[in-house]
């Protein structure tokens, strides 16, 4: 039986039962975050409302709530998603906050939206990742390929796009952690790497992860 805070669909009856149990829950913040996440695909408007409530509680899950809020807003075509990610990044700097993938989502979203005013900040972030000695994530290379291409730096963007597509193909059916965002960018990524016929098609992943 589905737990009361993991509903994949929403109705007046489900909402009433959820609110009844939430009022008695010791960890209401986390339950709001989880329920909001579960509704991202089926009802992003309700998801956004629940996640905003979670973030406004100003607890340890605030950064995670803002991260998922950005995804809900993006599904609704709301560019306020970037502001939500800015808030998630700020929340992560505060003590006792659960850490998230907000930085990676932020990089992908800056690239997706073509937010040129944020390009310098995004590229500086990527440079810091490279100089840290850490391997970095394929999502970061995707974001850089898109940004460099938008800036007209084709000699840089094309090998980055090809490398990223190769990494995605090598995942062998496993969805990357930012699969839904990446899926929406695949067409542009393939176009950048289009000089090589190998990248005419892309990977297919399983669609759900657990919150």
């Amino acid at each position: 039986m589905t737990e009361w805070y993991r509903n994949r669909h929403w109705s007046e009856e489900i909402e009433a039962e959820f609110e009844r149990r939430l009022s008695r829950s010791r960890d209401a913040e986390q339950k709001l975050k989880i329920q909001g996440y579960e509704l991202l695909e089926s009802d992003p408007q309700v998801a956004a409302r629940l996640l905003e409530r979670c973030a406004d509680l100003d607890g340890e899950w605030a950064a995670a709530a803002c991260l998922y809020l950005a995804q809900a807003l993006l599904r609704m075509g709301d560019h306020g998603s970037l502001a939500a990610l800015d808030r998630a990044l700020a929340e992560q700097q505060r003590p006792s906050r659960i850490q998230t993938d907000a930085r990676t989502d932020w990089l992908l979203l800056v690239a997706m939206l073509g937010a040129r005013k944020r390009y310098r900040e995004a590229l500086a972030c990527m440079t810091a990742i490279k100089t840290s000695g850490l391997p970095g994530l394929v999502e970061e290379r995707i974001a850089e390929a898109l940004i460099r291409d938008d800036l007209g730096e084709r000699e840089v963007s094309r090998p980055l796009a090809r490398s990223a597509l190769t990494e995605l193909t090598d995942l062998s059916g496993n969805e990357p952690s930012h699969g839904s965002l990446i899926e929406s960018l695949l067409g542009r990524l393939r176009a950048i790497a289009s000089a090589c016929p190998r990248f005419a098609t892309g990977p297919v992943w399983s669609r759900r992860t657990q919150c």
Side-chain angles (χ1 to χ4, degrees):
M1 184 176 178
T2 303
E3 293 171 293
W4 62 270
Y5 53 88
R6 289 189 181 276
N7 299 289
R8 294 283 179 83
H9 300 283
W10 204 244
S11 67
E12 290 183 1
E13 292 78 12
I14 292 173
E15 181 176 12
E17 178 65 11
F18 174 79
E19 293 294 345
R20 184 183 70 80
R21 293 188 178 227
L22 186 70
S23 66
R24 302 177 180 178
S25 176
R26 293 181 181 179
D27 51 355
E29 181 193 9
Q30 186 181 21
K31 297 300 191 294
L32 279 167
K33 187 265 299 183
I34 293 173
Q35 183 58 81
Y37 173 84
E38 293 292 344
L39 291 171
L40 279 175
E41 293 184 12
S42 64
D43 199 333
Q45 188 170 9
V46 171
R49 176 162 51 82
L50 295 173
L51 291 163
E52 197 158 11
R53 283 174 61 188
C54 177
D56 288 344
L57 290 174
D58 200 31
E60 64 178 348
W61 292 103
C66 290
L67 172 63
Y68 297 138
L69 173 61
Q71 294 178 18
L73 293 172
L74 188 60
R75 282 174 165 82
M76 293 189 290
D78 188 339
H79 288 188
S81 52
L82 192 53
L85 285 176
D86 285 337
R87 182 179 174 187
L89 290 170
E91 287 287 350
Q92 288 191 163
Q93 304 307 310
R94 300 175 63 186
S96 304
R97 291 299 194 261
I98 303 297
Q99 296 299 297
T100 72
D101 290 332
R103 182 190 66 181
T104 305
D105 277 57
W106 182 85
L107 291 171
L108 285 169
L109 200 57
V110 166
M112 171 186 279
L113 299 177
R116 288 192 162 215
K117 291 182 178 180
R118 315 300 291 273
Y119 279 2
R120 180 177 295 182
E121 186 181 354
L123 291 172
C125 179
M126 293 173 198
T127 298
I129 293 169
K130 292 174 185 176
T131 57
S132 70
L134 298 173
L137 301 171
V138 64
E139 291 91 339
E140 292 154 6
R141 287 181 278 283
I142 290 171
E144 184 173 5
L146 294 169
I147 289 173
R148 298 286 187 189
D149 190 71
D150 193 35
L151 292 173
E153 301 175 15
R154 304 296 193 278
E155 292 184 3
V156 178
S157 64
R158 185 166 293 154
L160 279 169
R162 291 177 181 174
S163 174
L165 285 166
T166 297
E167 288 182 68
L168 291 174
T169 302
D170 290 345
L171 288 172
S172 302
N174 296 313
E175 182 179 0
S177 58
H178 298 78
S180 59
L181 268 178
I182 292 174
E183 192 172 45
S184 67
L185 296 171
L186 278 176
R188 289 168 61 186
L189 198 64
R190 293 188 190 115
I192 296 170
S194 60
C196 181
R198 174 183 174 186
F199 303 115
T201 59
V204 177
W205 308 297
S206 57
R207 292 303 307 137
R208 287 292 300 183
T209 56
Q210 186 79 309
C211 179

